[in-house]
Amino acid sequence: MARNEGRLIIITAIAGVTILAAALVTMALDPIQLLINYNTRVTNNSFMFNMFQKEVDGAHLSLYVFNVTNAQEFMTGEDHSLNVQEVGPFTYAEIRQNIDIDLDEEAGELEFTPNMKLRFVPEQSVARPEDVIVTVPNLALLSVASLVSSLPFFIRNTFKLLFSTLNCKSITTIDVYSFLWGYSDPLISQAYNIVPGIVYFDKFGIMDRLYDNKTIYRMRVGIRDEDRFSIKTLKKYMKSDNWMNERALESYKYKNTYEGAAYPPGLNVETPINIYRLGVCRELNLEFHGTKNMEYGGDAWIYRISNETFNRDCGAGVCGMMDLSSCTYGIPITMSRTHFLDTDPKIYERIKGINPDPSKHDSHFLLEPNIGISLSTSLSLQMNMNLADLRFSDKTEMFSDLVLPVAYIKVVQQDVFDTLNGILRTIHVTAPITLISIEVTMFLIAVAILAYSGLLLYRRSKCKAKKKAYAKLNLRQNLPLIQCQLKKT
């Protein structure tokens, strides 16, 4: 009987300690985040890997073109400033599919080729771009003039003669579609033949430069919890039937850089975040700017583009802007905040019609840190030409040393709340309440079992003490035998 009583005490004590330890481990490990990490893993046939291969409707790009309203007065010198007025939006939907996917689980890497297409969205546009005529600087002329402005005198004179022979106009009238997607110009063809090592393109368009269909990108990203979807390397190839066996035109390495849709699960505020967009070729550094309480019950994190992003090229004379010339064939293209928001007004003192407004032109990123996804993105960037001394030709001298705003793009991520609202509410409301209830229940059960085990031990010890006292007094022959049998409670 005593042996059974001892076994019961041991069993109840072990059970109580085990349940209590399980409750404490559950509190310490955050099983909700562990489940999130497991369900967002990138492995063969996993949910995330299958989603990664599908064609998806991505962000919507709204483009605004700066239309010149005083072309004649500016070119004659009557007006020292160029007057512009934005025209738009012209909206396109990005349709993306990742192809040629190579998953290396052992190395913790995923390599792929992003395939991007654009679809015009008429209901979100002022008109079809083919139907809208704008007056804009002749970007072909200004690009060629900028590329040859630092070349020897006789080459500049050759191009000066070429500009006159072809009767190039510094400001031209063109439909928005051609302005965006490129148009053939006799000047570009001639320049390409004269200095093919300087002029690499045969047409010029804003979107044609950003969405260059003659090149292929090969991207490698991490897939482990700590670096999931962070870009490791990016290689750029000239499109051909055998491009994968050829040497990359350009190769870049990145750190803490993402495409802006997905991030590692379990982010913390100290995690550095940079954003990369195909075609821009430079990272945008993000800064944490607080939290926002969301309707699903949790807090999202607010990020904005840091000032450092636009000031890192100050030494190159483009302070307040990102220099993109290294990835636009030497054309002096820069990126700034839209309408030169938060930029020194001296940069655009010769441009009238610039009206920076944070409510319209600032960028923000709303992130859900537990899963590591972007809930909302509004990215607004302006394309400019940072023109040098172009006084070698009367066709371009009025544009000398001018930062010329060309157009701006507003990238808006499509709403994900309808798809994820139930999941996010479960993560931030239902699951924590359920988990706390389970932990409290486990704790109470453990305490109750340990208390019962202690009570059994106390009764057994008390009974043994009585037996020992009786034995000491040598009174067993006159007293009933004491059995230490534990009473049921």
Side-chain angles (χ1 to χ4, degrees):
M1 185 66 69
R3 183 178 297 175
N4 291 337
E5 293 164 358
R7 186 181 295 117
L8 179 60
I9 293 172
I10 293 172
I11 290 173
T12 53
I14 292 174
V17 170
T18 302
I19 296 173
L20 181 60
L24 295 174
V25 169
T26 302
M27 293 177 186
L29 288 183
D30 192 358
I32 297 174
Q33 189 62 54
L34 292 176
L35 286 172
I36 291 172
N37 293 354
Y38 178 78
N39 285 290
T40 58
R41 72 195 188 284
V42 182
T43 56
N44 197 26
N45 294 322
S46 68
F47 171 77
M48 292 298 291
F49 184 61
N50 292 334
M51 287 294 295
F52 191 79
Q53 300 176 75
K54 292 183 177 180
E55 184 177 87
V56 294
D57 253 3
H60 280 199
L61 285 76
S62 296
L63 291 106
Y64 297 79
V65 176
F66 287 108
N67 180 58
V68 176
T69 60
N70 67 333
Q72 185 174 351
E73 293 84 351
F74 180 75
M75 291 309 301
T76 60
E78 182 180 343
D79 287 350
H80 183 65
S81 298
L82 189 69
N83 296 346
V84 297
Q85 182 181 42
E86 67 175 58
V87 177
F90 303 93
T91 303
Y92 292 84
E94 279 187 341
I95 302 171
R96 171 167 170 161
Q97 185 174 20
N98 300 310
I99 59 175
D100 300 325
I101 299 173
D102 182 15
L103 175 64
D104 188 341
E105 294 186 40
E106 185 175 344
E109 295 176 345
L110 178 68
E111 195 169 15
F112 60 95
T113 299
N115 186 28
M116 197 84 73
K117 297 182 291 185
L118 293 182
R119 174 178 55 83
F120 182 64
V121 185
E123 61 271 19
Q124 296 180 18
S125 306
V126 292
R128 299 195 68 84
E130 299 92 334
D131 300 331
V132 179
I133 306 298
V134 290
T135 301
V136 292
N138 187 339
L139 300 185
L141 172 64
L142 295 176
S143 297
V144 173
S146 295
L147 290 172
V148 302
S149 64
S150 60
L151 297 181
F153 173 77
F154 74 92
I155 295 180
R156 296 201 307 272
N157 265 4
T158 300
F159 275 92
K160 178 181 178 179
L161 179 61
L162 181 63
F163 296 163
S164 299
T165 303
L166 296 175
N167 193 26
C168 295
K169 295 182 178 180
S170 302
I171 298 179
T172 186
T173 300
I174 192 173
D175 66 273
V176 172
Y177 183 86
S178 298
F179 185 65
L180 294 178
W181 293 105
Y183 55 93
S184 298
D185 189 287
L187 173 61
I188 295 179
S189 301
Q190 292 290 339
Y192 183 82
N193 293 326
I194 296 172
V195 282
I198 301 296
V199 179
Y200 291 91
F201 49 93
D202 55 5
K203 67 176 183 176
F204 189 93
I206 299 170
M207 298 301 288
D208 180 62
R209 292 297 91 204
L210 294 179
Y211 290 86
D212 187 357
N213 60 10
K214 293 183 179 179
T215 57
I216 292 176
Y217 293 92
R218 189 71 177 164
M219 190 176 293
R220 184 162 54 91
V221 302
I223 60 172
R224 295 190 175 98
D225 288 347
E226 64 272 14
D227 65 355
R228 192 167 300 163
F229 300 117
S230 67
I231 302 172
K232 303 294 185 181
T233 62
L234 179 73
K235 295 181 179 180
K236 186 177 179 180
Y237 297 86
M238 185 65 69
K239 183 179 286 187
S240 69
D241 293 337
N242 196 38
W243 66 268
M244 291 191 78
N245 296 320
E246 296 178 0
R247 185 177 179 180
L249 296 173
E250 299 168 15
S251 182
Y252 304 94
K253 291 184 178 181
Y254 296 99
K255 187 177 181 181
N256 302 317
T257 302
Y258 308 86
E259 287 197 86
Y263 305 87
L267 284 174
N268 63 69
V269 177
E270 303 301 322
T271 304
I273 295 179
N274 300 298
I275 297 295
Y276 171 85
R277 277 194 63 81
L278 289 174
V280 175
C281 86
R282 298 287 298 274
E283 312 104 290
L284 307 173
N285 176 253
L286 301 190
E287 285 182 340
F288 179 74
H289 274 260
T291 62
K292 179 181 179 181
N293 187 256
M294 305 299 289
E295 60 185 36
Y296 55 76
D299 286 339
W301 292 358
I302 303 170
Y303 286 83
R304 288 190 166 85
I305 302 175
S306 70
N307 290 329
E308 183 267 340
T309 296
F310 299 103
N311 292 325
R312 62 177 66 145
D313 296 319
C314 286
V318 287
C319 212
M321 299 174 287
M322 286 192 300
D323 181 11
L324 302 186
S325 60
S326 61
C327 49
T328 55
Y329 304 108
I331 300 171
I333 292 177
T334 63
M335 280 282 187
S336 67
R337 287 189 169 97
T338 299
H339 276 256
F340 296 109
L341 178 70
D342 297 332
T343 304
D344 187 348
K346 289 183 179 180
I347 290 179
Y348 55 92
E349 62 184 357
R350 289 181 58 200
I351 307 294
K352 304 300 181 185
I354 298 298
N355 302 298
D357 182 347
S359 65
K360 295 179 181 178
H361 304 137
D362 201 3
S363 301
H364 76 267
F365 303 80
L366 202 61
L367 274 60
E368 200 293 316
N370 296 73
I371 300 179
I373 58 169
S374 176
L375 299 177
S376 173
T377 296
S378 179
L379 172 62
S380 191
L381 293 172
Q382 180 173 299
M383 180 185 288
N384 315 289
M385 292 191 76
N386 190 29
L387 300 171
D389 185 351
L390 305 180
R391 287 175 294 180
F392 71 89
S393 169
D394 59 349
K395 300 285 186 180
T396 59
E397 62 179 342
M398 285 302 295
F399 291 94
S400 286
D401 304 312
L402 183 70
V403 177
L404 178 67
V406 176
Y408 74 85
I409 303 172
K410 189 167 187 177
V411 182
V412 178
Q413 176 187 311
Q414 296 307 288
D415 192 358
V416 299
F417 286 105
D418 290 341
T419 306
L420 297 176
N421 191 52
I423 296 173
L424 294 173
R425 181 168 290 277
T426 298
I427 290 172
H428 288 278
V429 179
T430 308
I433 292 174
T434 303
L435 183 61
I436 290 173
S437 300
I438 292 172
E439 290 170 347
V440 170
T441 302
M442 291 172 67
F443 183 79
L444 293 176
I445 291 173
V447 170
I449 293 175
L450 289 173
Y452 178 63
S453 179
L455 179 61
L456 293 180
L457 183 61
Y458 170 75
R459 288 179 175 175
R460 189 163 186 253
S461 299
K462 190 176 180 181
C463 187
K464 283 185 175 181
K466 285 184 178 180
K467 287 181 65 177
K468 190 174 181 180
Y470 271 58
K472 194 172 183 179
L473 294 172
N474 199 19
L475 297 175
R476 288 184 180 177
Q477 66 277 20
N478 300 322
L479 294 173
L481 184 66
I482 292 180
Q483 298 290 341
C484 290
Q485 182 175 356
L486 299 177
K487 296 179 183 178
K488 294 182 180 180
T489 56

